[in-house]
Amino acid sequence: MTAGTSDDGRLLVPLYVHPAVDPAAWQAVAAAGPARVAAVVINIADGPGDAYDNVFAAGADELRAAGIPLLAYSDTDYGRRPHAAVVADLLTYRQWYDTDGVYFDQVAAHSGALPHYRRLATAARAAGCATVVFGHGDHPEPGYAEIGLADLLVTFEGDWEAYREMTLPLWTGRHAAAHFCHLVYDVPAEAAAEAAALITARRAGVGCAVPGSGDNPWSTLPFELTALQAQG
């Protein structure tokens, strides 16, 4: 999943559940393969954790063997977390779990933080990250969509009711759909098809809609993969 590719209709899956807790979820994502899953965000402890995890590594190996890119989760705390600490996360993920890219979460949306995030994106690419994702969770200043910064902007992360009310800024129309991602949780099962259609209609080239809610809605799989999870 890189800038300029056509990922329309595929999933970016935040897989925030340990494979020891829900192995069927990890197996379902692997079974879906890269035709349906553009990338998976792996997150062991809001970062790589304090020690290498053999079970987590085996799960990552299974996803990689299926041809699915793995993105390391690193929280930037809206620009407040030091550059070195954020980069240390992605380097540890690459060393321990051979990740392909990075998902910077809680990315600031204001223009004043752009230099900080340019440095992070540069460091990530220097470290070998093929894909850089900025998880704003809302629409940022248009400067964050500049060429050469992030491959993907997560411009919505929230619940289904908020997503139904969201409006798109006009500037998003100047960029390809493949540059945007919408992550929607607390979606009722009866609204799953509507959510998928709305993500496409709002020109988000990749997305994810899950039924989960609460502190960690991303411990549940997107609706498209729940049947595969049951089989696992």
Side-chain angles (χ1 to χ4, degrees), residues 2-230:
T2 56
T5 60
S6 178
D7 291 315
D8 289 2
R10 292 203 292 164
L11 300 165
L12 176 73
V13 180
L15 191 57
Y16 298 172
V17 60
H18 197 284
V21 174
D22 192 352
W26 285 64
Q27 292 160 8
V29 176
R36 296 173 72 182
V37 180
V40 167
V41 185
I42 58 173
N43 179 11
I44 190 167
D46 288 336
D50 296 326
Y52 177 80
D53 185 321
N54 285 303
V55 176
F56 197 85
D61 286 345
E62 184 176 359
L63 294 175
R64 193 181 308 101
I68 298 172
L70 304 179
L71 306 181
Y73 176 94
S74 185
D75 183 2
T76 73
D77 193 22
Y78 301 106
R80 292 185 290 263
R81 193 159 176 241
H83 173 93
V86 176
V87 173
D89 278 355
L90 73 90
L91 292 175
T92 301
Y93 267 114
R94 282 188 60 77
Q95 180 182 357
W96 287 350
Y97 306 116
D98 198 20
T99 48
D100 306 283
V102 62
Y103 183 101
F104 291 124
D105 197 19
Q106 297 199 118
V107 172
H110 59 89
S111 59
L114 261 171
H116 174 70
Y117 286 101
R118 285 194 190 101
R119 288 184 63 220
L120 284 177
T122 299
R125 300 202 190 277
C129 292
T131 300
V132 174
V133 180
F134 282 176
H136 298 279
D138 199 355
H139 286 92
E141 290 295 317
Y144 284 92
E146 68 186 47
I147 295 173
L149 192 54
D151 300 296
L152 189 67
L153 302 180
V154 177
T155 53
F156 181 88
E157 182 178 356
D159 65 29
W160 172 234
E161 290 303 317
Y163 191 57
R164 294 176 71 188
E165 300 298 322
M166 187 194 80
T167 57
L168 288 176
L170 291 176
W171 69 261
T172 61
R174 301 195 296 269
H175 301 275
H179 205 49
F180 300 106
C181 173
H182 295 166
L183 302 177
V184 191
Y185 56 80
D186 202 10
V187 180
E190 62 271 19
E194 182 185 355
L198 195 53
I199 289 170
T200 299
R202 288 176 168 168
R203 298 185 65 257
V206 294
C208 190
V210 302
S213 60
D215 291 340
N216 182 18
W218 307 113
S219 64
T220 59
L221 283 181
F223 288 100
E224 294 92 328
L225 304 186
T226 51
L228 294 172
Q229 182 184 31

